[in-house]
């Protein structure tokens, strides 16, 4: 069954090209053109939605890992604001384990 949500997502994405060629300009130099095959353009109406859908799983996995620092009786292992993340761990071994999640 196709939901309204899926239909809206397909409609918004239907105008997005499958391949985009870009170049990078830095100071007075411009790179050769190269292709971008996937992703969402910056400023796209889909960008916040896709980021939220992706980051939710990442945050849940880290929170459920029980790796982190005990602060005032609370397990604190990640601080997140917009697209900025800070991982907290009680030791180097814990930090290595957290990045493997």
């Amino acid at each position: 069954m196709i939901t309204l949500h899926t239909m809206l997502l397909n409609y918004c994405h239907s105008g997005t090209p499958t391949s985009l060629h870009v170049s990078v300009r830095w100071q007075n130099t411009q790179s050769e053109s190269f292709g971008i095959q996937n992703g969402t353009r910056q400023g796209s109406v889909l960008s916040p939605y896709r980021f939220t859908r992706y980051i939710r799983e990442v945050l849940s996995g880290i929170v459920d890992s029980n790796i982190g620092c005990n602060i005032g009786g609370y397990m604190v292992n990640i601080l997140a604001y917009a697209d900025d993340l800070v991982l907290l761990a009680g030791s180097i071994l814990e930090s290595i384990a957290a990045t493997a999640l």
Side-chain angles (χ1 to χ4, degrees):
M1 179 173 135
I2 297 177
T3 64
L4 177 61
H5 173 56
T6 303
M7 288 172 41
L8 181 60
L9 191 59
N10 288 338
Y11 173 77
C12 289
H13 195 52
S14 64
T16 304
T18 56
S19 178
L20 179 67
H21 280 78
V22 298
S23 62
V24 176
R25 184 180 309 168
W26 184 64
Q27 294 182 354
N28 294 329
T29 305
Q30 186 162 342
S31 74
E32 290 187 29
S33 178
F34 58 93
I36 298 176
Q37 299 298 320
N38 57 13
T40 304
R41 288 185 181 181
Q42 185 173 350
S44 167
V45 296
L46 293 178
S47 294
Y49 171 79
R50 287 187 169 173
F51 179 76
T52 302
R53 301 296 281 188
Y54 165 77
I55 202 68
R56 183 180 300 149
E57 283 187 42
V58 172
L59 293 176
S60 294
I62 293 170
V63 168
D64 294 342
S65 72
N66 290 323
I67 295 172
C69 300
N70 186 330
I71 301 175
Y74 293 96
M75 177 61 69
V76 180
N77 50 16
I78 190 163
L79 304 173
Y81 181 77
D83 62 349
D84 297 321
L85 303 174
V86 176
L87 298 174
L88 302 173
S91 70
I92 292 175
L93 293 176
E94 278 190 358
S95 66
I96 293 169
T99 57
L101 297 172

Coordinates of all heavy atoms in Angstrom, one line a residue:
M1 N 0.8 -1.2 0.0 CA 0.0 0.0 0.0 C 0.9 1.3 0.0 O 1.8 1.4 0.8 CB -0.9 0.0 1.2 CG -1.8 1.2 1.3 SD -2.9 0.9 2.7 CE -2.8 2.5 3.4
I2 N 0.7 2.1 -0.9 CA 1.4 3.4 -1.0 C 0.7 4.4 -0.1 O -0.5 4.7 -0.3 CB 1.5 3.9 -2.5 CG1 2.3 2.9 -3.3 CG2 2.2 5.2 -2.5 CD1 2.4 3.2 -4.7
T3 N 1.5 5.0 0.8 CA 0.9 6.0 1.7 C 1.0 7.4 1.1 O 1.8 7.6 0.1 CB 1.6 6.0 3.0 OG1 3.0 6.4 2.8 CG2 1.5 4.6 3.7
L4 N 0.3 8.3 1.6 CA 0.4 9.7 1.2 C 1.8 10.2 1.4 O 2.4 10.9 0.5 CB -0.6 10.6 2.0 CG -0.5 12.1 1.7 CD1 -0.9 12.4 0.2 CD2 -1.5 12.8 2.6
H5 N 2.4 9.8 2.5 CA 3.8 10.2 2.8 C 4.8 9.7 1.7 O 5.6 10.5 1.2 CB 4.2 9.6 4.1 CG 5.6 9.7 4.5 ND1 6.2 10.9 4.6 CD2 6.6 8.8 4.8 CE1 7.5 10.8 5.0 NE2 7.7 9.5 5.1
T6 N 4.6 8.5 1.2 CA 5.5 8.0 0.1 C 5.2 8.7 -1.2 O 6.1 9.0 -1.9 CB 5.2 6.5 0.0 OG1 5.5 5.8 1.2 CG2 6.1 5.9 -1.1
M7 N 4.0 9.0 -1.5 CA 3.6 9.7 -2.7 C 4.2 11.1 -2.7 O 4.8 11.5 -3.7 CB 2.1 9.8 -2.8 CG 1.5 8.5 -3.2 SD -0.4 8.4 -3.2 CE -0.8 10.0 -3.9
L8 N 4.2 11.8 -1.5 CA 4.7 13.1 -1.4 C 6.3 13.1 -1.6 O 6.8 13.9 -2.3 CB 4.4 13.7 -0.1 CG 4.9 15.1 0.2 CD1 4.3 16.1 -0.9 CD2 4.5 15.6 1.6
L9 N 6.9 12.1 -1.0 CA 8.3 12.0 -1.1 C 8.7 11.7 -2.6 O 9.7 12.3 -3.1 CB 8.8 10.8 -0.2 CG 10.3 10.7 0.0 CD1 10.9 11.9 0.6 CD2 10.6 9.5 0.9
N10 N 8.0 10.8 -3.2 CA 8.3 10.5 -4.6 C 8.1 11.8 -5.5 O 8.9 12.0 -6.4 CB 7.4 9.4 -5.2 CG 7.9 8.0 -4.6 OD1 9.0 7.9 -4.2 ND2 6.9 7.1 -4.6
Y11 N 7.1 12.5 -5.2 CA 6.8 13.7 -6.0 C 7.9 14.8 -5.8 O 8.4 15.3 -6.8 CB 5.4 14.3 -5.6 CG 5.2 15.7 -6.2 CD1 4.7 15.8 -7.5 CD2 5.4 16.9 -5.5 CE1 4.5 17.0 -8.1 CE2 5.1 18.1 -6.1 CZ 4.7 18.1 -7.4 OH 4.5 19.4 -8.0
C12 N 8.3 15.0 -4.6 CA 9.4 16.0 -4.3 C 10.7 15.5 -5.0 O 11.5 16.4 -5.4 CB 9.6 16.1 -2.8 SG 8.2 17.0 -2.0
H13 N 11.0 14.2 -5.0 CA 12.2 13.7 -5.5 C 12.2 13.5 -7.1 O 13.3 13.4 -7.7 CB 12.6 12.4 -4.9 CG 14.0 12.0 -5.0 ND1 15.0 12.8 -4.7 CD2 14.5 10.8 -5.4 CE1 16.2 12.2 -5.0 NE2 15.9 11.0 -5.4
S14 N 11.0 13.6 -7.7 CA 11.0 13.3 -9.1 C 11.7 14.3 -10.0 O 12.2 13.9 -11.1 CB 9.5 13.2 -9.6 OG 8.9 14.5 -9.4
G15 N 11.9 15.5 -9.5 CA 12.6 16.5 -10.3 C 14.1 16.5 -10.1 O 14.8 17.3 -10.7
T16 N 14.6 15.7 -9.2 CA 16.0 15.7 -8.9 C 16.8 14.9 -9.9 O 16.4 13.7 -10.2 CB 16.2 15.1 -7.5 OG1 15.5 15.8 -6.6 CG2 17.7 15.1 -7.1
P17 N 17.8 15.5 -10.6 CA 18.5 14.7 -11.6 C 19.3 13.6 -10.9 O 19.7 13.6 -9.8 CB 19.5 15.8 -12.1 CG 19.6 16.8 -11.1 CD 18.3 16.8 -10.4
T18 N 19.5 12.5 -11.7 CA 20.2 11.3 -11.1 C 21.7 11.6 -11.2 O 22.4 10.9 -10.5 CB 19.9 10.0 -11.9 OG1 20.1 10.3 -13.3 CG2 18.4 9.7 -11.7
S19 N 22.2 12.5 -12.0 CA 23.6 12.7 -12.1 C 23.8 14.2 -12.2 O 23.1 14.9 -13.0 CB 24.2 12.0 -13.3 OG 25.6 12.3 -13.4
L20 N 24.7 14.8 -11.5 CA 24.9 16.2 -11.5 C 26.4 16.4 -11.6 O 27.2 15.7 -10.9 CB 24.4 16.8 -10.1 CG 24.6 18.3 -9.9 CD1 23.7 19.1 -10.9 CD2 24.2 18.6 -8.5
H21 N 26.9 17.3 -12.4 CA 28.3 17.6 -12.6 C 28.6 19.0 -12.0 O 27.9 19.9 -12.2 CB 28.7 17.6 -14.1 CG 28.9 16.2 -14.6 ND1 27.8 15.4 -14.9 CD2 30.0 15.5 -14.8 CE1 28.3 14.3 -15.4 NE2 29.6 14.3 -15.3
V22 N 29.6 19.0 -11.1 CA 30.0 20.2 -10.4 C 31.5 20.4 -10.5 O 32.2 19.5 -10.9 CB 29.6 20.1 -8.9 CG1 28.1 20.0 -8.8 CG2 30.2 19.0 -8.2
S23 N 31.9 21.6 -10.1 CA 33.4 21.8 -10.0 C 33.5 22.7 -8.7 O 32.6 23.3 -8.2 CB 33.9 22.5 -11.2 OG 33.3 23.8 -11.4
V24 N 34.8 22.7 -8.3 CA 35.1 23.5 -7.0 C 36.0 24.7 -7.4 O 36.9 24.6 -8.1 CB 35.8 22.6 -6.0 CG1 36.2 23.4 -4.8 CG2 35.0 21.4 -5.6
R25 N 35.6 25.9 -6.9 CA 36.3 27.1 -7.1 C 36.9 27.5 -5.8 O 36.2 27.7 -4.8 CB 35.5 28.2 -7.7 CG 36.3 29.4 -8.0 CD 35.5 30.5 -8.6 NE 34.7 30.0 -9.7 CZ 33.7 30.6 -10.3 NH1 33.3 31.8 -9.9 NH2 33.0 30.1 -11.3
W26 N 38.2 27.7 -5.8 CA 38.9 28.1 -4.6 C 39.9 29.2 -5.0 O 40.8 28.9 -5.8 CB 39.6 26.9 -3.8 CG 40.2 27.3 -2.5 CD1 39.6 27.8 -1.4 CD2 41.6 27.3 -2.2 NE1 40.5 28.0 -0.4 CE2 41.7 27.7 -0.9 CE3 42.7 26.9 -3.0 CZ2 42.9 27.8 -0.3 CZ3 43.9 27.0 -2.3 CH2 44.0 27.4 -1.0
Q27 N 39.8 30.3 -4.4 CA 40.6 31.5 -4.7 C 40.5 31.7 -6.3 O 39.4 31.9 -6.7 CB 42.0 31.4 -4.3 CG 42.1 31.3 -2.8 CD 43.5 31.2 -2.3 OE1 44.5 31.0 -3.0 NE2 43.7 31.3 -0.9
N28 N 41.5 31.7 -7.0 CA 41.4 32.0 -8.5 C 41.5 30.7 -9.3 O 41.8 30.7 -10.5 CB 42.5 32.9 -8.9 CG 42.4 34.3 -8.3 OD1 41.2 34.7 -8.1 ND2 43.4 35.0 -8.0
T29 N 41.3 29.5 -8.7 CA 41.5 28.3 -9.4 C 40.2 27.5 -9.4 O 39.5 27.5 -8.3 CB 42.6 27.4 -8.7 OG1 43.8 28.2 -8.7 CG2 42.8 26.1 -9.5
Q30 N 39.8 26.9 -10.5 CA 38.6 26.1 -10.6 C 39.0 24.6 -11.0 O 39.8 24.5 -11.9 CB 37.6 26.6 -11.6 CG 36.3 25.9 -11.6 CD 35.2 26.7 -12.2 OE1 35.3 27.9 -12.4 NE2 34.1 26.1 -12.5
S31 N 38.4 23.7 -10.3 CA 38.8 22.3 -10.6 C 38.0 21.8 -11.9 O 37.2 22.5 -12.4 CB 38.3 21.4 -9.5 OG 36.9 21.2 -9.4
E32 N 38.4 20.7 -12.4 CA 37.7 20.1 -13.5 C 36.3 19.6 -13.0 O 36.2 19.3 -11.8 CB 38.5 18.9 -14.0 CG 39.7 19.3 -14.8 CD 40.4 18.1 -15.4 OE1 39.7 17.1 -15.8 OE2 41.6 18.1 -15.6
S33 N 35.4 19.4 -13.8 CA 34.1 19.0 -13.5 C 34.1 17.5 -13.1 O 34.8 16.7 -13.7 CB 33.1 19.2 -14.7 OG 31.9 18.7 -14.4
F34 N 33.3 17.2 -12.1 CA 33.2 15.8 -11.7 C 31.7 15.5 -11.3 O 30.9 16.4 -11.0 CB 34.1 15.4 -10.5 CG 33.9 16.3 -9.3 CD1 33.0 15.9 -8.3 CD2 34.5 17.5 -9.1 CE1 32.8 16.7 -7.1 CE2 34.4 18.3 -8.0 CZ 33.5 17.9 -7.0
G35 N 31.3 14.3 -11.5 CA 29.9 13.9 -11.3 C 29.6 13.5 -9.8 O 30.4 12.9 -9.1
I36 N 28.4 13.8 -9.5 CA 27.8 13.4 -8.2 C 26.6 12.5 -8.5 O 25.7 12.9 -9.2 CB 27.3 14.6 -7.3 CG1 28.5 15.5 -7.0 CG2 26.6 14.1 -6.1 CD1 28.1 16.8 -6.3
Q37 N 26.7 11.3 -8.1 CA 25.7 10.3 -8.5 C 24.5 10.1 -7.6 O 23.5 9.7 -8.0 CB 26.3 8.9 -8.7 CG 27.5 8.9 -9.7 CD 27.0 9.2 -11.1 OE1 25.9 8.8 -11.5 NE2 27.7 10.0 -11.8
N38 N 24.6 10.5 -6.3 CA 23.5 10.3 -5.4 C 23.6 11.4 -4.4 O 24.5 12.2 -4.3 CB 23.6 8.9 -4.8 CG 24.8 8.7 -4.0 OD1 25.6 9.6 -3.8 ND2 25.1 7.4 -3.7
G39 N 22.6 11.4 -3.5 CA 22.5 12.4 -2.4 C 21.4 13.4 -2.7 O 20.6 13.3 -3.6
T40 N 21.3 14.3 -1.8 CA 20.3 15.4 -1.9 C 21.0 16.7 -2.0 O 21.9 17.0 -1.2 CB 19.4 15.3 -0.6 OG1 18.8 14.0 -0.5 CG2 18.3 16.3 -0.7
R41 N 20.5 17.5 -2.9 CA 21.1 18.8 -3.0 C 21.0 19.7 -1.8 O 19.9 19.6 -1.1 CB 20.5 19.6 -4.2 CG 20.9 19.0 -5.5 CD 20.3 19.9 -6.6 NE 20.6 19.4 -7.9 CZ 20.2 20.0 -9.0 NH1 19.5 21.1 -9.0 NH2 20.6 19.5 -10.2
Q42 N 22.0 20.5 -1.5 CA 21.9 21.4 -0.3 C 20.7 22.4 -0.6 O 20.6 22.9 -1.7 CB 23.2 22.1 -0.2 CG 23.2 23.0 1.1 CD 24.5 23.6 1.3 OE1 25.5 23.3 0.7 NE2 24.6 24.6 2.2
G43 N 19.9 22.6 0.4 CA 18.7 23.4 0.2 C 17.5 22.8 -0.3 O 16.4 23.4 -0.3
S44 N 17.6 21.5 -0.6 CA 16.4 20.7 -1.1 C 15.4 20.6 0.1 O 15.8 20.5 1.2 CB 16.9 19.3 -1.5 OG 15.8 18.5 -1.7
V45 N 14.2 20.5 -0.3 CA 13.1 20.3 0.8 C 13.3 18.9 1.4 O 12.8 18.7 2.5 CB 11.7 20.5 0.2 CG1 11.5 21.9 -0.3 CG2 11.4 19.5 -0.9
L46 N 14.0 18.0 0.7 CA 14.1 16.7 1.3 C 15.3 16.6 2.2 O 15.4 15.6 3.0 CB 14.3 15.7 0.1 CG 13.2 15.4 -0.8 CD1 13.5 14.5 -1.9 CD2 12.0 14.9 0.0
S47 N 16.2 17.5 2.2 CA 17.4 17.4 3.0 C 17.2 17.2 4.5 O 17.7 16.3 5.1 CB 18.3 18.6 2.8 OG 18.8 18.7 1.5
P48 N 16.3 18.1 5.2 CA 16.1 17.9 6.6 C 15.4 16.5 6.9 O 15.7 15.9 7.9 CB 15.2 19.1 7.0 CG 15.3 20.0 5.9 CD 15.7 19.3 4.7
Y49 N 14.5 16.1 6.0 CA 13.8 14.9 6.2 C 14.7 13.7 6.2 O 14.8 12.8 7.0 CB 12.7 14.7 5.2 CG 12.0 13.4 5.2 CD1 11.1 13.0 6.2 CD2 12.4 12.4 4.3 CE1 10.5 11.8 6.2 CE2 11.9 11.1 4.3 CZ 10.9 10.8 5.3 OH 10.4 9.6 5.3
R50 N 15.6 13.7 5.1 CA 16.5 12.5 5.0 C 17.5 12.5 6.1 O 17.9 11.5 6.6 CB 17.2 12.6 3.6 CG 16.3 12.2 2.5 CD 17.0 12.1 1.2 NE 16.1 11.5 0.2 CZ 16.4 11.4 -1.0 NH1 17.6 11.9 -1.5 NH2 15.6 10.8 -1.9
F51 N 18.0 13.7 6.5 CA 19.0 13.7 7.6 C 18.4 13.2 8.9 O 19.0 12.4 9.6 CB 19.5 15.2 7.8 CG 20.5 15.3 8.9 CD1 21.8 14.8 8.8 CD2 20.1 15.8 10.1 CE1 22.7 14.9 9.8 CE2 21.0 15.9 11.2 CZ 22.3 15.4 11.0
T52 N 17.1 13.6 9.2 CA 16.5 13.2 10.4 C 16.2 11.7 10.4 O 16.5 11.0 11.4 CB 15.1 13.9 10.5 OG1 15.4 15.3 10.6 CG2 14.4 13.5 11.8
R53 N 15.8 11.1 9.2 CA 15.6 9.7 9.2 C 16.9 8.9 9.4 O 16.9 7.9 10.0 CB 15.0 9.3 7.8 CG 13.7 10.0 7.5 CD 12.6 9.6 8.5 NE 12.1 8.3 8.1 CZ 11.1 7.7 8.6 NH1 10.4 8.3 9.6 NH2 10.7 6.5 8.2
Y54 N 18.0 9.5 8.9 CA 19.3 8.8 9.0 C 19.8 8.9 10.4 O 20.2 8.0 11.1 CB 20.3 9.4 8.0 CG 21.7 9.0 8.3 CD1 22.2 7.8 8.0 CD2 22.6 9.9 9.0 CE1 23.5 7.4 8.3 CE2 23.9 9.6 9.3 CZ 24.4 8.3 9.0 OH 25.6 8.0 9.3
I55 N 19.8 10.1 11.0 CA 20.5 10.4 12.3 C 19.7 9.8 13.4 O 20.3 9.4 14.4 CB 20.7 11.9 12.5 CG1 21.8 12.2 13.5 CG2 19.4 12.6 12.9 CD1 23.2 11.8 13.0
R56 N 18.4 9.6 13.3 CA 17.6 8.9 14.3 C 18.2 7.6 14.7 O 18.3 7.2 15.8 CB 16.1 8.9 13.9 CG 15.2 8.3 15.0 CD 13.8 8.2 14.5 NE 13.3 9.6 14.2 CZ 12.4 9.8 13.3 NH1 11.9 8.8 12.6 NH2 12.0 11.1 13.0
E57 N 18.5 6.8 13.7 CA 19.0 5.4 13.9 C 20.4 5.5 14.5 O 20.7 4.7 15.4 CB 19.1 4.6 12.6 CG 17.8 4.1 12.1 CD 18.0 3.2 10.9 OE1 18.9 2.4 10.9 OE2 17.2 3.3 10.0
V58 N 21.2 6.4 14.1 CA 22.6 6.6 14.6 C 22.5 6.9 16.1 O 23.1 6.3 17.0 CB 23.4 7.6 13.9 CG1 24.7 7.9 14.6 CG2 23.6 7.2 12.4
L59 N 21.6 7.9 16.4 CA 21.5 8.4 17.8 C 21.0 7.2 18.7 O 21.5 7.0 19.8 CB 20.6 9.6 17.9 CG 21.1 10.9 17.3 CD1 20.1 12.0 17.4 CD2 22.4 11.3 17.9
S60 N 20.0 6.5 18.2 CA 19.4 5.4 19.0 C 20.4 4.3 19.3 O 20.5 3.8 20.4 CB 18.2 4.8 18.3 OG 17.1 5.7 18.2
G61 N 21.2 4.0 18.3 CA 22.2 3.0 18.5 C 23.2 3.4 19.5 O 23.6 2.5 20.4
I62 N 23.6 4.6 19.5 CA 24.6 5.1 20.5 C 24.0 5.2 21.9 O 24.6 4.7 22.9 CB 25.2 6.4 20.1 CG1 26.0 6.3 18.8 CG2 26.1 7.1 21.2 CD1 26.4 7.5 18.1
V63 N 22.8 5.7 22.0 CA 22.2 5.8 23.3 C 22.0 4.4 23.9 O 22.2 4.2 25.1 CB 20.8 6.6 23.2 CG1 20.0 6.4 24.4 CG2 21.1 8.0 22.9
D64 N 21.5 3.4 23.1 CA 21.3 2.1 23.6 C 22.5 1.3 23.9 O 22.5 0.2 24.5 CB 20.4 1.3 22.6 CG 19.0 1.9 22.4 OD1 18.6 2.7 23.3 OD2 18.4 1.6 21.4
S65 N 23.7 1.8 23.5 CA 24.9 1.0 23.7 C 25.4 0.9 25.1 O 26.3 0.1 25.4 CB 26.0 1.6 22.8 OG 26.5 2.9 23.4
N66 N 25.0 1.8 26.0 CA 25.5 1.9 27.4 C 27.0 2.2 27.5 O 27.6 1.9 28.4 CB 25.1 0.7 28.2 CG 23.7 0.6 28.4 OD1 23.0 1.6 28.7 ND2 23.1 -0.6 28.4
I67 N 27.5 2.8 26.4 CA 28.9 3.3 26.4 C 28.8 4.8 26.7 O 28.0 5.5 26.0 CB 29.6 3.1 25.1 CG1 29.7 1.6 24.9 CG2 30.9 3.8 25.1 CD1 30.3 1.2 23.5
G68 N 29.5 5.3 27.6 CA 29.5 6.8 27.9 C 30.0 7.1 29.3 O 30.7 6.3 29.9
C69 N 29.6 8.2 29.8 CA 30.0 8.7 31.1 C 28.8 8.8 32.0 O 27.7 9.3 31.6 CB 30.6 10.1 30.9 SG 32.1 10.1 29.9
N70 N 29.0 8.4 33.2 CA 27.9 8.5 34.2 C 28.1 9.9 34.9 O 29.0 10.2 35.6 CB 28.1 7.4 35.3 CG 26.9 7.4 36.3 OD1 26.3 8.4 36.6 ND2 26.6 6.2 36.8
I71 N 27.1 10.7 34.6 CA 27.1 12.1 35.2 C 25.9 12.3 36.0 O 24.7 12.3 35.5 CB 27.2 13.1 34.0 CG1 28.4 12.9 33.2 CG2 27.1 14.5 34.6 CD1 28.5 13.8 32.0
G72 N 26.0 12.3 37.3 CA 24.9 12.5 38.2 C 23.9 11.4 38.2 O 22.7 11.6 38.3
G73 N 24.4 10.2 37.9 CA 23.5 9.0 37.8 C 22.8 8.8 36.5 O 22.0 7.9 36.3
Y74 N 23.2 9.6 35.5 CA 22.6 9.5 34.1 C 23.8 9.1 33.2 O 24.9 9.6 33.3 CB 22.0 10.8 33.6 CG 20.8 11.2 34.4 CD1 20.9 12.2 35.4 CD2 19.6 10.7 34.0 CE1 19.8 12.6 36.1 CE2 18.4 11.1 34.7 CZ 18.5 12.0 35.8 OH 17.4 12.4 36.4
M75 N 23.5 8.1 32.3 CA 24.4 7.7 31.3 C 24.4 8.8 30.2 O 23.3 9.0 29.5 CB 24.1 6.4 30.7 CG 25.0 5.9 29.6 SD 26.8 5.8 30.1 CE 26.7 4.4 31.2
V76 N 25.5 9.5 30.0 CA 25.5 10.5 28.9 C 26.6 10.0 27.9 O 27.8 9.8 28.3 CB 25.9 11.9 29.5 CG1 26.0 12.9 28.4 CG2 25.0 12.3 30.6
N77 N 26.2 9.8 26.7 CA 27.1 9.3 25.7 C 27.1 10.1 24.4 O 28.0 9.9 23.5 CB 26.9 7.8 25.4 CG 25.5 7.5 25.1 OD1 24.7 8.3 24.8 ND2 25.2 6.2 25.2
I78 N 26.1 11.0 24.2 CA 26.1 11.8 23.0 C 25.4 13.1 23.2 O 24.4 13.1 23.9 CB 25.5 11.0 21.8 CG1 25.7 11.8 20.5 CG2 24.0 10.7 22.0 CD1 25.5 10.9 19.3
L79 N 26.0 14.1 22.7 CA 25.4 15.5 22.7 C 25.1 15.8 21.3 O 26.0 15.8 20.5 CB 26.3 16.5 23.4 CG 26.7 16.2 24.8 CD1 27.8 17.2 25.3 CD2 25.6 16.1 25.8
A80 N 23.9 16.2 21.0 CA 23.5 16.4 19.6 C 22.7 17.7 19.5 O 21.8 17.9 20.2 CB 22.7 15.3 19.0
Y81 N 23.2 18.5 18.5 CA 22.4 19.8 18.2 C 22.5 20.0 16.7 O 23.6 20.1 16.2 CB 23.0 21.0 19.0 CG 22.2 22.3 18.7 CD1 21.0 22.5 19.3 CD2 22.8 23.2 17.8 CE1 20.3 23.7 19.0 CE2 22.1 24.4 17.5 CZ 20.9 24.6 18.1 OH 20.2 25.7 17.9
A82 N 21.4 20.0 16.0 CA 21.4 20.1 14.6 C 22.3 19.1 13.9 O 22.0 17.9 14.2 CB 21.8 21.5 14.1
D83 N 23.3 19.4 13.2 CA 24.2 18.4 12.6 C 25.5 18.3 13.3 O 26.5 17.7 12.8 CB 24.4 18.6 11.1 CG 25.0 20.0 10.8 OD1 25.2 20.8 11.8 OD2 25.4 20.2 9.7
D84 N 25.6 18.8 14.5 CA 26.8 18.7 15.3 C 26.6 17.6 16.4 O 25.6 17.6 17.1 CB 27.1 20.0 16.1 CG 27.4 21.1 15.1 OD1 28.1 20.9 14.1 OD2 27.0 22.3 15.3
L85 N 27.6 16.7 16.5 CA 27.5 15.6 17.5 C 28.8 15.5 18.3 O 29.9 15.7 17.7 CB 27.4 14.2 16.7 CG 26.2 14.1 15.8 CD1 26.3 12.8 15.1 CD2 24.9 14.2 16.6
V86 N 28.7 15.2 19.6 CA 29.8 15.0 20.4 C 29.6 13.7 21.1 O 28.6 13.4 21.8 CB 29.9 16.1 21.5 CG1 31.1 15.8 22.5 CG2 30.1 17.5 20.9
L87 N 30.6 12.8 20.9 CA 30.5 11.4 21.6 C 31.3 11.5 22.8 O 32.4 12.0 22.9 CB 31.1 10.4 20.6 CG 30.4 10.2 19.3 CD1 31.1 9.2 18.4 CD2 28.9 9.7 19.5
L88 N 30.7 10.9 23.9 CA 31.4 10.9 25.2 C 31.7 9.4 25.6 O 30.8 8.6 25.4 CB 30.6 11.5 26.3 CG 30.2 13.0 26.1 CD1 29.2 13.5 27.1 CD2 31.4 13.9 26.1
A89 N 32.8 9.1 26.1 CA 33.2 7.8 26.5 C 34.1 7.9 27.8 O 34.8 8.8 28.0 CB 33.9 7.0 25.4
G90 N 34.0 6.8 28.6 CA 34.7 6.8 29.8 C 36.2 6.4 29.7 O 37.0 6.6 30.6
S91 N 36.5 5.8 28.5 CA 37.9 5.4 28.3 C 38.2 5.4 26.8 O 37.3 5.5 26.0 CB 38.2 4.0 28.9 OG 37.4 3.0 28.1
I92 N 39.4 5.2 26.4 CA 39.8 5.1 25.0 C 39.2 3.9 24.4 O 38.7 3.9 23.3 CB 41.3 5.0 24.9 CG1 41.9 6.4 25.2 CG2 41.7 4.7 23.5 CD1 43.4 6.5 25.2
L93 N 39.1 2.7 25.1 CA 38.5 1.5 24.6 C 37.0 1.7 24.4 O 36.5 1.2 23.4 CB 38.7 0.3 25.6 CG 40.2 -0.1 25.7 CD1 40.3 -1.2 26.8 CD2 40.7 -0.6 24.4
E94 N 36.3 2.4 25.2 CA 34.9 2.7 25.0 C 34.7 3.6 23.8 O 33.8 3.4 23.1 CB 34.3 3.4 26.3 CG 33.9 2.4 27.3 CD 33.1 3.1 28.4 OE1 32.8 4.4 28.3 OE2 32.6 2.4 29.4
S95 N 35.6 4.6 23.6 CA 35.5 5.4 22.5 C 35.7 4.7 21.2 O 35.0 4.9 20.2 CB 36.4 6.6 22.5 OG 37.7 6.2 22.5
I96 N 36.6 3.7 21.2 CA 36.8 2.9 20.0 C 35.6 2.0 19.7 O 35.1 1.9 18.6 CB 38.1 2.0 20.1 CG1 39.3 2.9 20.1 CG2 38.1 0.9 19.0 CD1 40.6 2.2 20.5
A97 N 35.0 1.5 20.8 CA 33.8 0.6 20.6 C 32.6 1.5 20.2 O 31.8 1.0 19.3 CB 33.4 0.0 22.0
A98 N 32.5 2.7 20.6 CA 31.4 3.6 20.2 C 31.5 4.0 18.7 O 30.5 4.0 18.1 CB 31.4 4.9 21.1
T99 N 32.7 4.2 18.2 CA 32.8 4.5 16.8 C 32.6 3.3 15.9 O 32.3 3.5 14.7 CB 34.2 5.1 16.5 OG1 35.2 4.2 16.9 CG2 34.4 6.4 17.2
A100 N 32.6 2.1 16.5 CA 32.4 0.9 15.6 C 30.9 0.7 15.5 O 30.5 -0.2 14.8 CB 33.0 -0.3 16.3
L101 N 30.0 1.4 16.3 CA 28.6 1.2 16.2 C 28.2 1.6 14.9 O 27.4 1.5 14.2 CB 27.9 1.9 17.3 CG 28.2 1.5 18.7 CD1 27.5 2.5 19.7 CD2 27.7 0.1 19.0

